[in-house]
Amino acid sequence: MVRHVRGSFEEVTSVTRAAVFTGLVLAAAAFLLDGVLLPRSVPFISVAVAIVLMLASRFLVRSYRSRRASQGRPGERVIVFGAGLAGRRLVHNILHDDQSELVPVAFVDDDRRKRRLKVEGVSVLGTLHELPAVAERTGATHLVVAVPLADGDLLRQVREVAEQADLHVKVLPPLTDWLTASDPRGSDLRDLDLEDLLGRRAVQLDQDALREHLTGKVVLVTGAGGSIGSELCRQIAAFAPARLILLDRDESALHAAQLSLSGRALLEGEDLVLANIRDEQTIRAHLAELRPDIVFHAAALKHLSLLERYPCEAWKTNVLGTRNVLQAAAEAGVGTFVNISTDKAASPTSVLGYSKRMAERLTAHYARTQPGRYVSVRFGNVLGSRGSVIPTFTEQIRQGGPVTVTHPDVERYFMLIPEACQLVLQAGAIGRDGQVMVLDMGTPVRIVDVARELIALSGKQVDIHYTGLRTGEKLTEVLFADGETHVETAHPLMTAVDVPDLSPDDLPAPHTTSDSHTRAAFVDHGSAAGRS
């Protein structure tokens, strides 16, 4: 007899098959004995009785075991939000795990059809809005969100209701984190964090297109030690490129990136390149030797306020450095070049924005004049990247505050680093020559709301101080410049735009000693939007 962990259609089928087989044997015996010792009606009655008794005995045993597993068991009493597949598997595994410190006492689910559902003796007692009453009735102390695809809006709503019920919220990791491993368990649960509240969006990728684009290719990533560059390397490695070459000027960053990729950080091998993209001859020599099929250009200076003070540095790295990599890639016969840009390049008002706008325009020029495919990818802030507000706020909260915000109404687009990099890879696979692929960043989030969320998650009382907008900062970033025509792409989270190209020959001579001349050059060459 096949054993089943939980009641299922297959279990009923197995029981029925066994009973019918037994009934057929008895029927054959009754027929052979011509009904003398065994009446011919008995086999058919016995089949029905056997099915009922076998299912009833299984139900009673399972109910007894489930009740014994949950009653009198020490641990934190938890309510599970979500009585779907993930929630049911989680409850089963918790109840059958002797080491678990959690005791499921109820489900809540907004699907009214599940109102009378009972899983392993744990009942659905209401909806999310009825959570405070369910918590009071059950004496629960924790709420577990068992909705792996829950987005930020839903999780913020869950947290608000849980606070009313005085419940501590824990969440399951995203579905992709446990689907290929094992069913979710109590040990998989973790506290709610800012990435859950602001991000956690499911991204559907064209895996076939990515495999065709990356597998077996020589791929080079500049700025490979940075937040975006290192995550790009980790995701590219999953598609089995022939070679993955990490280029960065920061040896410590290369060390960390290699460690995250291989678990070893001996800084050996030919796939680590220590070089500065400002050094034109060195970059050309390296790419001529390595001859990559694909280049992801993530190296850049990105601190807005610092670049306002030192615009020459932005010119050297973001403009001339990008030109150096583009020229070296063209000479090496690169098939695809992907320039990582920023939303600050749309209608720029800062040195950072102007410099990245010029990088987009330079990329468009190489698309027009060189074989191969040259595209840019434009997106906003990524949560947790180096230099973002999240690490800054976290450290300020750790020190007891205050948390500094420039303006109460300033807002920015946010995206998770893995999500951004997944879409960068997709854009590299489907972007057309010369286009700027603009990622859908969702809804802008007020920075002060981010600060408040982090303070609330910390459990501390910390003040917020407003410092005023800095030179070049906007209240709200935009993803598209005025006059840019939006073109739909094959991916729902991407829109393409065209930018006017900029020839390297039209770049003014570098003004390494005059910030005022450099700033003027930025405004002149970096402000072009829809004009050709």
Side-chain angles (χ1 to χ4, degrees):
M1 177 67 69
V2 178
R3 297 183 63 188
H4 299 270
V5 174
R6 56 181 66 84
S8 63
F9 175 78
E10 290 78 10
E11 182 174 3
V12 174
T13 301
S14 296
V15 169
T16 304
R17 186 185 299 115
V20 169
F21 177 77
T22 303
L24 290 175
V25 172
L26 294 175
F31 179 80
L32 293 175
L33 296 175
D34 198 25
V36 176
L37 299 178
L38 186 67
R40 292 181 178 179
S41 61
V42 169
F44 303 102
I45 296 174
S46 64
V47 169
V49 173
I51 292 174
V52 171
L53 291 178
M54 292 170 73
L55 291 177
S57 62
R58 285 171 174 260
F59 172 78
L60 291 174
V61 170
R62 184 171 292 115
S63 297
Y64 170 74
R65 289 177 176 174
S66 297
R67 191 176 298 110
R68 188 177 64 176
S70 59
Q71 288 181 349
R73 175 174 173 168
E76 299 287 351
R77 299 171 69 82
V78 301
I79 299 171
V80 178
F81 173 52
L85 176 62
R88 297 195 300 270
R89 288 184 174 182
L90 176 64
V91 166
H92 172 84
N93 288 332
I94 290 175
L95 289 176
H96 292 270
D97 181 3
D98 294 335
Q99 304 300 317
S100 177
E101 298 178 354
L102 304 176
V103 181
V105 294
F107 284 101
V108 291
D109 198 295
D110 288 338
D111 187 348
R112 294 283 181 178
R113 294 171 297 180
K114 298 177 182 176
R115 188 59 186 260
R116 298 186 180 277
L117 180 66
K118 180 177 288 190
V119 179
E120 302 279 349
V122 180
S123 301
V124 177
L125 297 183
T127 64
L128 178 61
H129 293 292
E130 297 171 301
L131 181 62
V134 175
E136 183 177 359
R137 174 180 170 183
T138 58
T141 58
H142 287 65
L143 175 69
V144 171
V145 181
V147 185
L149 296 181
D151 58 18
D153 290 337
L154 176 59
L155 290 171
R156 286 193 293 273
Q157 179 186 2
V158 168
R159 195 192 65 171
E160 290 174 3
V161 179
E163 286 178 348
Q164 298 173 14
D166 196 25
L167 295 174
H168 182 76
V169 180
K170 287 186 172 291
V171 296
L172 276 176
L175 183 65
T176 52
D177 289 357
W178 58 267
L179 185 63
T180 57
S182 60
D183 288 350
R185 300 181 180 276
S187 57
D188 296 328
L189 297 171
R190 56 175 175 78
D191 291 338
L192 199 63
D193 60 25
L194 189 68
E195 290 191 358
D196 295 314
L197 298 173
L198 297 183
R200 204 178 163 95
R201 177 169 55 171
V203 176
Q204 300 297 323
L205 300 177
D206 186 343
Q207 299 289 338
D208 291 336
L210 289 176
R211 274 191 290 271
E212 182 179 353
H213 182 54
L214 297 171
T215 302
K217 304 293 179 60
V218 177
V219 184
L220 183 144
V221 179
T222 72
S227 305
I228 295 296
S230 59
E231 178 63 22
L232 275 174
C233 290
R234 286 187 286 273
Q235 294 193 15
I236 292 168
F239 289 94
R243 288 185 70 183
L244 175 56
I245 303 162
L246 284 63
L247 186 150
D248 203 292
R249 65 181 179 85
D250 185 339
E251 59 181 348
S252 296
L254 282 176
H255 179 273
Q258 187 185 52
L259 182 63
S260 71
L261 281 168
S262 64
R264 295 165 56 87
L266 301 179
L267 294 178
E268 60 184 7
E270 301 299 319
D271 293 338
L272 292 183
V273 177
L274 183 64
N276 193 327
I277 63 171
R278 293 182 177 187
D279 189 336
E280 179 181 2
Q281 296 304 318
T282 297
I283 293 299
R284 292 172 71 176
H286 279 307
L287 267 69
E289 177 185 356
L290 297 168
R291 305 196 67 81
D293 301 303
I294 304 166
V295 170
F296 288 93
H297 177 47
L301 296 178
K302 61 181 181 180
H303 288 272
L304 184 147
S305 59
L306 205 57
L307 296 184
E308 288 296 317
R309 292 176 55 196
Y310 302 102
C312 285
E313 298 304 309
W315 182 269
K316 294 173 189 176
T317 297
N318 295 356
V319 178
L320 299 183
T322 298
R323 181 206 62 184
N324 294 341
V325 180
L326 282 164
Q327 183 60 37
E331 293 173 357
V334 165
T336 301
F337 186 100
V338 181
N339 168 51
I340 309 298
S341 188
T342 169
D343 57 355
K344 292 174 176 60
S347 299
T349 60
S350 64
V351 167
L352 171 60
Y354 286 130
S355 67
K356 297 299 282 184
R357 178 70 179 184
M358 293 176 73
E360 289 183 354
R361 296 184 62 200
L362 287 168
T363 304
H365 170 79
Y366 279 84
R368 185 174 63 83
T369 61
Q370 299 293 330
R373 218 162 32 92
Y374 291 77
V375 300
S376 294
V377 184
R378 185 190 297 171
F379 55 93
N381 299 280
V382 287
L383 288 172
S385 65
R386 290 192 299 182
S388 73
V389 297
I390 310 305
T392 302
F393 287 170
T394 301
E395 179 60 21
Q396 290 177 332
I397 292 169
R398 188 190 69 80
Q399 295 181 10
V403 171
T404 55
V405 179
T406 55
H407 191 282
D409 295 325
V410 70
E411 58 183 10
R412 295 289 182 263
Y413 291 98
F414 283 99
M415 180 178 279
L416 300 181
I417 293 177
E419 175 192 359
C421 291
Q422 287 169 356
L423 291 175
V424 166
L425 294 183
Q426 188 73 73
I430 69 174
R432 294 183 179 177
D433 202 19
Q435 288 184 328
V436 176
M437 306 292 283
V438 184
L439 304 189
D440 179 359
M441 298 291 296
T443 304
V445 178
R446 291 201 312 163
I447 297 298
V448 69
D449 291 337
V450 174
R452 288 170 178 159
E453 294 284 6
L454 282 171
I455 293 170
L457 289 171
S458 74
K460 297 181 179 180
Q461 297 294 325
V462 178
D463 293 333
I464 296 176
H465 287 183
Y466 298 104
T467 60
L469 288 176
R470 296 167 293 187
T471 302
E473 280 192 319
K474 306 175 187 177
L475 274 179
T476 302
E477 297 289 358
V478 295
L479 294 172
F480 302 95
D482 295 336
E484 287 182 336
T485 302
H486 305 182
V487 180
E488 291 186 358
T489 70
H491 197 283
L493 296 181
M494 296 181 202
T495 303
V497 298
D498 293 317
V499 298
D501 64 290
L502 174 63
S503 170
D505 296 334
D506 293 334
L507 292 177
H511 298 279
T512 59
T513 60
S514 173
D515 285 340
S516 61
H517 287 158
T518 302
R519 191 181 300 274
F522 273 133
V523 175
D524 183 40
H525 293 81
S527 58
R531 69 177 187 268
S532 301

